[in-house]
């Protein structure tokens, strides 16, 4: 596990070995995880071509083709999913919406292994709701409780709940913070997760 694995960090392999010896983690599960990583590397051709041609990055990364795939424009399920989403939030019938939550208006939803992105390359959940709201003629208010769940106060929760009670639809964007670029604020992700509580 130490050779070339992304988690070849101090103590990681030692902890895995210890968990296997204690019977808390099966060797089969370790092998399964390693096999998935190796399979992905083989499919990507990382063993044959381990280096990136940096001169092509600007033409490749965030290209229109990649954006179309990421946004689901190439998927026949996209329109079906949009119709279900619109129906679920009663867009067009309910006029007053509120959005809140620590992950509503930041890069946290990108996850643990993402780098901070330029603002023009990211649409937050709040921005997406407001864009769709403008298109369909409803208002989306925003109650900012801050970006870090461990710092939210009871007063902020009560204020958000009061605002939600006065709205037709409330969208709460909750969850853990795995964004590695604010490591002290992380609540989940690499070197933060626990095997047990």
């Amino acid at each position: 596990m130490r050779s070339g694995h992304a988690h070849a960090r101090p103590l990681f392999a030692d902890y895995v070995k210890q968990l296997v010896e204690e019977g808390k983690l099966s060797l089969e599960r370790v092998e399964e995880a390693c096999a998935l990583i190796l399979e992905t590397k083989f499919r990507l051709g990382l063993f044959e071509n381990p280096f990136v041609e940096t001169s092509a990055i600007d033409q490749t990364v965030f290209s229109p083709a990649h954006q179309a795939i990421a946004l689901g424009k190439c998927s026949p399920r996209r329109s079906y999913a949009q119709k279900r989403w619109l129906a679920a939030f009663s867009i067009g019938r309910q006029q007053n919406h509120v959005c809140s939550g620590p992950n509503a208006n930041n890069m946290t939803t990108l996850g643990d292994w993402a780098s901070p992105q330029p603002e023009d390359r990211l649409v937050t959940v709040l921005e997406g709701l407001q864009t769709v709201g403008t298109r369909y003629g409803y208002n989306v208010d925003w109650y900012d409780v801050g970006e870090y769940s461990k710092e939210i106060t009871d007063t902020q929760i009560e204020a958000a709940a009061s605002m939600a009670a006065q709205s037709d639809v409330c969208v709460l964007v909750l969850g853990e913070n795995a964004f590695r670029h604010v490591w002290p604020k992380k609540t989940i992700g690499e070197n933060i997760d626990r095997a047990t509580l």
Side-chain angles (χ1 to χ4, degrees):
M1 292 185 73
R2 290 187 186 277
S3 58
H5 190 272
H7 288 100
R9 307 220 187 280
L11 304 179
F12 179 83
D14 296 330
Y15 287 144
V16 170
K17 182 174 182 278
Q18 180 182 339
L19 289 170
V20 170
E21 290 171 350
E22 292 173 357
K24 294 179 180 176
L25 178 65
S26 73
L27 188 57
E28 291 77 17
R29 179 64 187 100
V30 175
E31 290 174 346
E32 177 188 6
C34 291
L36 290 171
I37 292 167
L38 289 171
E39 179 185 359
T40 300
K41 289 182 176 184
F42 276 117
R43 286 177 183 240
L44 292 171
L46 296 182
F47 293 103
E48 296 83 6
N49 302 296
F51 302 104
V52 174
E53 178 54 60
T54 56
S55 64
I57 287 177
D58 288 338
Q59 291 78 38
T60 305
V61 175
F62 207 66
S63 68
H66 288 179
Q67 291 178 58
I69 292 169
L71 295 171
K73 292 180 179 176
C74 298
S75 169
R77 297 183 60 186
R78 180 172 183 258
S79 60
Y80 174 73
Q82 283 182 330
K83 287 177 184 175
R84 288 193 56 154
W85 187 88
L86 293 172
F89 290 101
S90 303
I91 294 172
R93 296 192 296 275
Q94 308 292 337
Q95 296 301 309
N96 297 307
H97 297 60
V98 65
C99 179
S100 189
N103 296 338
N105 199 33
N106 57 45
M107 297 186 190
T108 302
T109 53
L110 295 177
D112 191 10
W113 283 87
S115 296
Q117 298 296 304
E119 291 294 327
D120 65 333
R121 292 188 174 189
L122 177 78
V123 177
T124 68
V125 174
L126 173 65
E127 291 168 345
L129 288 172
Q130 289 175 332
T131 298
V132 174
T134 300
R135 184 181 306 153
Y136 289 94
Y138 67 89
N139 181 56
V140 178
D141 288 322
W142 161 239
Y143 184 78
D144 187 359
V145 295
E147 297 186 4
Y148 307 112
S149 57
K150 291 195 275 187
E151 298 177 1
I152 297 173
T153 66
D154 289 343
T155 302
Q156 288 174 310
I157 292 172
E158 290 167 8
S162 175
M163 194 170 181
Q166 299 171 42
S167 299
D168 298 314
V169 175
C170 175
V171 179
L172 290 176
V173 189
L174 306 173
E176 300 291 344
N177 183 340
F179 204 49
R180 67 179 44 243
H181 302 281
V182 284
W183 198 280
K185 309 286 187 178
K186 285 178 61 166
T187 57
I188 194 170
E190 183 183 356
N191 298 335
I192 301 294
D193 291 340
R194 296 171 55 101
T196 64
L197 294 176

